[in-house]
């Protein structure tokens, strides 16, 4: 055998091969799908219904929210008045939508709907 | 490994290393095949989710004489579609769509009206619910979409 060649020990060969296998493992793409889009669409549904049928009182708003987003946490802001649904927790992802419309008495109403997920 | 006049002679170490190499290659290829299969399944699921979301969105936002393209109310006076207001009587027509396997309206008081429910067999399905107004009442309009 050529004395000048590189000689791998058994351990080195195994390590290199193991490294090769680890590197060649393709990471599986686990996309989140369209969950965020669906949340956004549902937020828009709720805002549209409120705009068409009129902004209900606080408790009804919470009921409506939980009807559309059962078991989820969120926040509704109506003309800067905040309503929290579920416990306040830091570090969640959130999707927010805002609608501005005028009531029959031409009063400007601004509603922000935030869903945490 | 040494080369003799009779050919290559493998030491036990070298033979062991070659066996380990084969074992690692087998595991590696199995892993690749497995992850490719998982990836395929994941892409299929996302595709189904896309189809279901866009189909449900189209149904509640559009009006067409063909119910499969939209069941929203059309305001003749204002000449525009009232999105998120649907015609309850047209929901049953959706069963003609080969992708839709079920549909219902769920009201806030808990009552649920199922319009149709087809046998899904072993198909992978996804259910989507959207808030709509039906006859001036708020309800969740649900559709089951299968692959």
């Amino acid at each position: 055998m050529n004395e000048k060649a590189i000689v791998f020990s058994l351990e080195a060969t195994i390590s290199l091969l193991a490294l090769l296998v680890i590197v060649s493992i393709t990471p599986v793409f686990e996309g989140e799908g369209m969950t965020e889009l669906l949340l956004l669409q549902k937020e828009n549904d709720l805002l549209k219904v409120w705009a068409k049928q009129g902004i209900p009182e606080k408790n009804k708003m919470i009921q409506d929210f939980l009807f559309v987003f059962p078991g989820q946490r969120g926040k509704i802001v109506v003309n800067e008045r905040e309503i929290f649904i579920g416990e306040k927790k830091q570090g969640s992802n959130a999707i927010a939508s805002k609608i501005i419309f005028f009531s029959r008495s031409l009063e400007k109403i601004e509603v922000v709907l935030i869903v945490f997920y | 490994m040494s080369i003799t006049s009779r050919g290559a002679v493998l030491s036990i170490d070298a033979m062991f290393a070659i066996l380990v190499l084969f074992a690692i290659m087998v595991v590696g290829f199995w892993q690749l095949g497995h992850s490719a299969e998982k990836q395929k399944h994941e892409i299929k699921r996302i595709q189904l989710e896309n189809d279901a979301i866009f189909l449900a969105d189209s149904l509640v936002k559009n009006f067409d004489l063909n119910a499969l393209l939209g069941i929203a109310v059309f305001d003749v006076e204002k000449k525009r579609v009232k999105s998120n207001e649907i015609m309850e009587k047209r929901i049953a027509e959706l069963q003609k769509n080969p992708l839709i396997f079920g549909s219902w309206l769920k009201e806030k008081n808990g009552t649920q009206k199922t319009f149709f429910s087809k046998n899904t067999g072993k198909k992978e399905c996804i259910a989507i619910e959207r808030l709509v107004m039906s006859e001036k009442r708020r309800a969740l309009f649900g559709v089951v979409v299968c692959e």
Side-chain angles (χ1 to χ4, degrees):
Chain A
M1 296 296 290
N2 190 348
E3 292 290 321
K4 286 180 182 170
I6 299 168
V7 178
F8 284 113
S9 68
L10 179 65
E11 291 89 338
T13 313
I14 293 171
S15 308
L16 279 171
L17 289 171
L19 180 70
L20 197 74
V21 169
I22 291 167
V23 169
S24 67
I25 291 172
T26 321
V28 178
F29 166 68
E30 285 180 3
E32 288 183 5
M34 308 293 279
T35 318
E36 292 177 359
L37 176 66
L38 184 62
L39 275 180
L40 188 69
Q41 287 180 342
K42 287 168 104 175
E43 277 183 359
N44 291 336
D45 292 345
L46 189 53
L47 288 173
K48 213 177 279 180
V49 169
W50 281 344
K52 281 181 182 177
Q53 294 194 324
I55 297 291
E57 59 181 42
K58 186 183 165 184
N59 285 343
K60 285 248 170 87
M61 280 181 122
I62 295 172
Q63 280 174 19
D64 283 350
F65 179 93
L66 291 172
F67 179 54
V68 181
F69 306 102
Q72 271 178 292
R73 297 179 300 115
K75 185 169 128 180
I76 304 166
V77 187
V78 184
N79 290 339
E80 295 177 9
R81 191 167 50 94
E82 292 183 341
I83 303 165
F84 282 93
I85 297 138
E87 54 182 299
K88 285 190 217 174
K89 253 199 237 168
Q90 297 293 318
S92 300
N93 290 327
I95 299 267
S97 298
K98 182 159 109 173
I99 191 170
I100 298 170
F101 62 98
F102 293 89
S103 67
R104 288 188 192 277
S105 55
L106 291 181
E107 182 198 355
K108 182 185 163 196
I109 299 170
E110 189 178 303
V111 186
V112 180
L113 182 59
I114 303 167
V115 178
F116 299 109
Y117 65 99
Chain B
M1 187 175 78
S2 60
I3 308 286
T4 68
S5 55
R6 288 180 173 180
V9 177
L10 294 182
S11 68
I12 290 178
D13 276 10
M15 200 177 70
F16 184 70
I18 289 169
L19 287 174
V20 170
L21 164 73
F22 278 120
I24 290 172
M25 277 172 73
V26 167
V27 171
F29 284 125
W30 177 83
Q31 178 70 31
L32 273 176
H34 180 69
S35 53
E37 195 55 44
K38 253 177 108 179
Q39 194 118 329
K40 206 172 118 189
H41 188 262
E42 187 69 15
I43 289 168
K44 238 170 123 181
R45 188 191 62 79
I46 291 173
Q47 186 63 51
L48 177 64
E49 207 176 311
N50 284 6
D51 289 348
I53 288 173
F54 292 124
L55 188 63
D57 196 48
S58 157
L59 290 173
V60 299
K61 288 216 161 79
N62 295 308
F63 164 81
D64 198 277
L65 292 176
N66 176 1
L68 309 183
L69 299 174
I71 52 168
V73 173
F74 184 74
D75 190 330
V76 182
E77 207 176 290
K78 291 178 182 167
K79 292 184 180 155
R80 67 174 181 221
V81 177
K82 289 174 152 182
S83 64
N84 287 77
E85 281 190 54
I86 61 166
M87 287 180 268
E88 197 178 315
K89 59 185 176 193
R90 299 195 70 198
I91 296 176
E93 293 176 45
L94 296 177
Q95 58 188 313
K96 289 180 204 156
N97 188 325
L99 287 176
I100 303 178
F101 281 72
S103 189
W104 63 86
L105 270 182
K106 199 191 291 172
E107 287 189 42
K108 248 170 104 176
N109 59 14
T111 53
Q112 184 171 322
K113 190 174 175 185
T114 305
F115 294 88
F116 64 94
S117 177
K118 294 190 251 179
N119 182 16
T120 58
K122 284 183 181 172
K123 286 184 171 138
E124 197 168 325
C125 300
I126 190 163
I128 299 283
E129 282 185 330
R130 296 289 300 266
L131 181 71
V132 293
M133 283 190 288
S134 170
E135 326 280 324
K136 303 280 175 203
R137 287 166 302 151
R138 292 169 199 191
L140 285 176
F141 166 62
V143 279
V144 176
V145 178
C146 297
E147 55 185 0

